[in-house]
């Protein structure tokens, strides 16, 4: 808002509040000084009505103005809180990014300190791949949040089965006990509208996490149901679980539970899953029981 408009605003508000009162007062005075005696007697009982009406209007304007001011202050406060939270998240992301980049860079520098052996060259290659993967995943999240979707009718049941078969090819996945339970009777899951490639990426990321953070022999259950216009996909495991105070952390970019920081990973899988699901008008949530396992729930609007 310009400075000139800001200066005019109090005058406009004062005029809006006082105008009804002044109009009521003028009409009242005119009515009281009517020449006719009969009119004066008759109007003496009601002559104050315009003034009262003006007062009431002024009161209503004042109440409305107060409500607008309070609502605006609330909106400004909420906006400030959102900005503060975004700032804190950005600072946490930068701190984590600094940590994630520092280790491979130090490894590369150490390997290059002398004439590198074959083992050191292999280490350099591994660290370079790690850096490339990290930056690629960060770029993917940005693309998911801003890129144009290519929506179509997606058979979510078939997509889940395909994702399970793909994840079973990951080394060690067949050491887990997979169980897929999707409804077939009286009818299968309804289709959802979305980008099938992105939805496949989201589901396979959830399944891969269940494999990665659960021991051999663990149970991994993939369940689906229709619920009040939503398609709900759950992936439950009997893995390590997550401490209650870290559940929100794992949804943030590069955020990882303390228990799994020794396991290879970037901490970008679940943030990417949430970004994809929210772009499709859905929600992604996590329940976890420390030492017992976790359940990730994806909810998408049904067609």
């Amino acid at each position: 808002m310009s400075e000139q408009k800001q200066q005019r605003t109090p005058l406009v508000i004062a005029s809006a509040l006082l105008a009804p009162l002044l109009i009521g007062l003028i009409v009242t005075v005119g009515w009281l000084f009517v020449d006719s005696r009969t009119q004066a007697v008759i109007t003496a009982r009601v002559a104050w009505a315009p003034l009262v009406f003006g007062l009431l209007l002024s009161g209503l304007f004042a109440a409305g103005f107060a409500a607008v001011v309070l609502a605006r202050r609330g909106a400004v406060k909420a906006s400030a809180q959102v900005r503060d939270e975004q700032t804190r998240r950005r600072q946490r992301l930068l701190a984590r990014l600094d940590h994630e980049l520092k280790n491979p860079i130090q490894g590369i520098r150490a390997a290059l300190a002398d004439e590198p052996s074959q083992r050191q060259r292999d280490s350099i290659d591994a660290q370079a791949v790690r850096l490339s993967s990290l930056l690629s995943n960060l770029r993917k999240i940005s693309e998911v949040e801003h890129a144009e979707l290519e929506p179509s009718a997606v058979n979510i049941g078939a997509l889940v089965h395909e994702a399970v078969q793909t994840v079973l090819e990951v080394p060690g996945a067949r050491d887990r006990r997979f169980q897929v339970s999707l409804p077939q009777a009286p009818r299968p899951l309804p289709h959802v509208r979305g980008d099938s490639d992105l939805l496949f990426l989201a589901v396979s990321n959830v399944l891969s996490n269940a494999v990665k953070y659960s021991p051999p022999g663990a149970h991994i259950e993939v369940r689906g149901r229709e619920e009040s216009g939503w398609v709900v996909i759950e992936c439950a495991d009997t893995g390590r679980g997550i401490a209650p105070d870290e559940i929100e952390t794992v949804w943030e970019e590069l955020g990882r539970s303390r228990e799994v920081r020794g396991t290879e990973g970037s901490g970008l899988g679940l943030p990417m899953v949430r970004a994809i699901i929210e772009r499709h008008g859905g929600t992604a949530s996590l329940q976890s029981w420390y030492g017992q396992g976790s359940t990730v729930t994806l909810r998408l609007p049904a067609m």
Side-chain angles (χ1 to χ4, degrees), residues 90-162:
R90 186 164 58 250
Q91 290 172 342
R92 289 195 296 268
L93 173 59
L94 290 174
R96 291 169 184 153
L97 186 58
D98 176 69
H99 178 268
E100 291 294 330
L101 294 177
K102 185 182 298 182
N103 289 340
I105 290 174
Q106 287 178 341
I108 292 173
R109 292 180 63 186
L112 292 174
D114 301 312
E115 183 68 25
S117 63
Q118 184 59 46
R119 182 183 62 81
Q120 289 170 322
R121 283 194 291 269
D122 292 342
S123 174
I124 292 172
D125 288 341
Q127 300 294 353
V129 168
R130 180 181 173 188
L131 282 173
S132 177
S133 176
L134 176 66
L135 296 175
S136 174
N137 285 333
L138 282 170
R139 186 170 59 252
K140 282 181 183 178
I141 292 178
S142 177
E143 291 173 352
V144 164
E145 291 176 339
H146 302 101
E148 289 290 332
L149 299 181
E150 298 182 6
S152 61
V154 178
N155 184 336
I156 193 67
L159 184 145
V160 168
H161 279 294
E162 183 183 354

Side-chain angles (χ1 to χ4, degrees), residues 43-99:
T43 58
R45 299 177 182 176
V46 295
W48 295 99
L51 179 59
V52 173
F53 183 68
L55 288 170
L56 289 174
L57 281 180
S58 294
L60 289 174
F61 277 122
F65 174 68
V68 170
V69 169
L70 290 175
R72 184 173 296 176
R73 286 181 180 176
V76 170
K77 184 177 180 180
S79 178
Q81 290 174 340
V82 169
R83 286 197 302 272
D84 290 344
E85 177 59 26
Q86 289 175 339
T87 299
R88 287 192 291 270
R89 286 192 61 183
R90 186 164 58 250
Q91 290 172 342
R92 289 195 296 268
L93 173 59
L94 290 174
R96 291 169 184 153
L97 186 58
D98 176 69
H99 178 268

Side-chain angles (χ1 to χ4, degrees), residues 3-285:
E3 183 177 352
Q4 187 177 6
K5 287 185 178 179
Q6 289 178 339
Q7 291 175 349
R8 287 205 306 263
T9 299
L11 295 176
V12 173
I13 294 171
S15 300
L17 292 175
L18 293 177
L21 179 60
L22 291 175
I23 293 172
L25 180 61
I26 291 170
V27 174
T28 298
V29 171
W31 205 340
L32 286 174
F33 284 93
V34 173
D35 292 334
S36 172
R37 192 174 197 180
T38 304
Q39 286 179 329
V41 172
I42 295 173
T43 58
R45 299 177 182 176
V46 295
W48 295 99
L51 179 59
V52 173
F53 183 68
L55 288 170
L56 289 174
L57 281 180
S58 294
L60 289 174
F61 277 122
F65 174 68
V68 170
V69 169
L70 290 175
R72 184 173 296 176
R73 286 181 180 176
V76 170
K77 184 177 180 180
S79 178
Q81 290 174 340
V82 169
R83 286 197 302 272
D84 290 344
E85 177 59 26
Q86 289 175 339
T87 299
R88 287 192 291 270
R89 286 192 61 183
R90 186 164 58 250
Q91 290 172 342
R92 289 195 296 268
L93 173 59
L94 290 174
R96 291 169 184 153
L97 186 58
D98 176 69
H99 178 268
E100 291 294 330
L101 294 177
K102 185 182 298 182
N103 289 340
I105 290 174
Q106 287 178 341
I108 292 173
R109 292 180 63 186
L112 292 174
D114 301 312
E115 183 68 25
S117 63
Q118 184 59 46
R119 182 183 62 81
Q120 289 170 322
R121 283 194 291 269
D122 292 342
S123 174
I124 292 172
D125 288 341
Q127 300 294 353
V129 168
R130 180 181 173 188
L131 282 173
S132 177
S133 176
L134 176 66
L135 296 175
S136 174
N137 285 333
L138 282 170
R139 186 170 59 252
K140 282 181 183 178
I141 292 178
S142 177
E143 291 173 352
V144 164
E145 291 176 339
H146 302 101
E148 289 290 332
L149 299 181
E150 298 182 6
S152 61
V154 178
N155 184 336
I156 193 67
L159 184 145
V160 168
H161 279 294
E162 183 183 354
V164 170
Q165 293 304 313
T166 301
V167 171
L168 283 174
E169 300 305 316
V170 173
R174 293 189 181 274
D175 295 335
R176 280 72 174 168
R177 301 178 183 178
F178 269 85
Q179 180 179 343
V180 181
S181 177
L182 300 180
Q184 297 299 322
R187 66 190 187 112
L189 290 173
H191 286 35
V192 301
R193 185 163 184 80
D195 187 305
S196 60
D197 291 335
L198 288 179
L199 290 175
F200 179 85
L201 179 61
V203 174
S204 58
N205 259 285
V206 172
L207 295 173
S208 296
N209 275 354
V211 171
K212 184 185 297 184
Y213 301 122
S214 61
H219 290 269
I220 296 177
E221 296 182 4
V222 184
R223 303 184 288 260
R225 66 181 184 276
E226 184 180 2
E227 186 179 272
S228 303
W230 295 86
V231 173
V232 182
I233 303 296
E234 292 180 339
C235 178
D237 63 66
T238 55
R240 304 176 184 181
I242 302 169
D245 62 328
E246 294 190 309
I247 288 179
E248 284 305 314
T249 300
V250 300
W251 290 109
E252 298 179 2
E253 291 86 350
L254 303 177
R256 305 190 74 199
S257 169
R258 291 185 296 269
E259 295 294 321
V260 301
R261 286 174 189 166
T263 304
E264 183 180 352
S266 63
L268 292 171
L270 284 181
M272 186 182 298
V273 169
R274 173 170 279 182
I276 292 171
I277 299 302
E278 288 183 350
R279 280 299 307 275
H280 286 79
T283 61
S285 59

